[in-house]
Amino acid sequence: MTMSKKLVGMLAMIAAASLVAVGVQAQSSNADLSDLELSAGSLSPAFSSAELSYTASVTVSSITVTPTADDAGATITVNGEPVDSGDPSGAVSLHLGVNVIAVVVTA
């Protein structure tokens, strides 16, 4: 049986900076994240595997996302690129306006 859930977060930038949307899509029975961190700014509210929406204020031109899987056997991609659980993604360039970062966890 395959179960899925979708976590969509909005990272709001301050004063003429960028708006980032982080979407996390989990597939399988335990494709949850146990942590999600940003290289700049902080998630609000604080990370919770039950929380589906976040905001953060940043004033940077790029950011990394560090997702940690709850299941050690899960695989993670950030914007389609594989990322080891607990390791930062490659730098994601941000531009003025809305930026979407897709995080997919598969267990």
Side-chain angles (χ1 to χ4, degrees):
M1 180 168 117
T2 300
M3 300 174 68
S4 66
K5 72 175 164 181
K6 188 172 185 179
L7 171 64
V8 177
M10 297 301 293
L11 304 177
M13 309 303 166
I14 60 173
S18 304
L19 177 66
V20 175
V22 176
V24 178
Q25 183 176 7
Q27 300 169 336
S28 187
S29 62
N30 186 8
D32 293 336
L33 290 176
S34 61
D35 196 17
L36 182 64
E37 297 179 1
L38 306 175
S39 60
S42 57
L43 296 172
S44 177
F47 175 79
S48 165
S49 60
E51 184 62 47
L52 300 181
S53 182
Y54 299 96
T55 60
S57 295
V58 301
T59 56
V60 295
S61 59
S62 68
I63 197 167
T64 62
V65 178
T66 303
T68 303
D70 193 39
D71 179 349
T75 60
I76 304 171
T77 61
V78 174
N79 280 355
E81 296 295 321
V83 175
D84 290 334
S85 179
D87 287 347
S89 67
V92 177
S93 296
L94 303 177
H95 61 274
L96 187 60
V98 176
N99 298 263
V100 176
I101 301 171
V103 179
V104 177
V105 182
T106 305

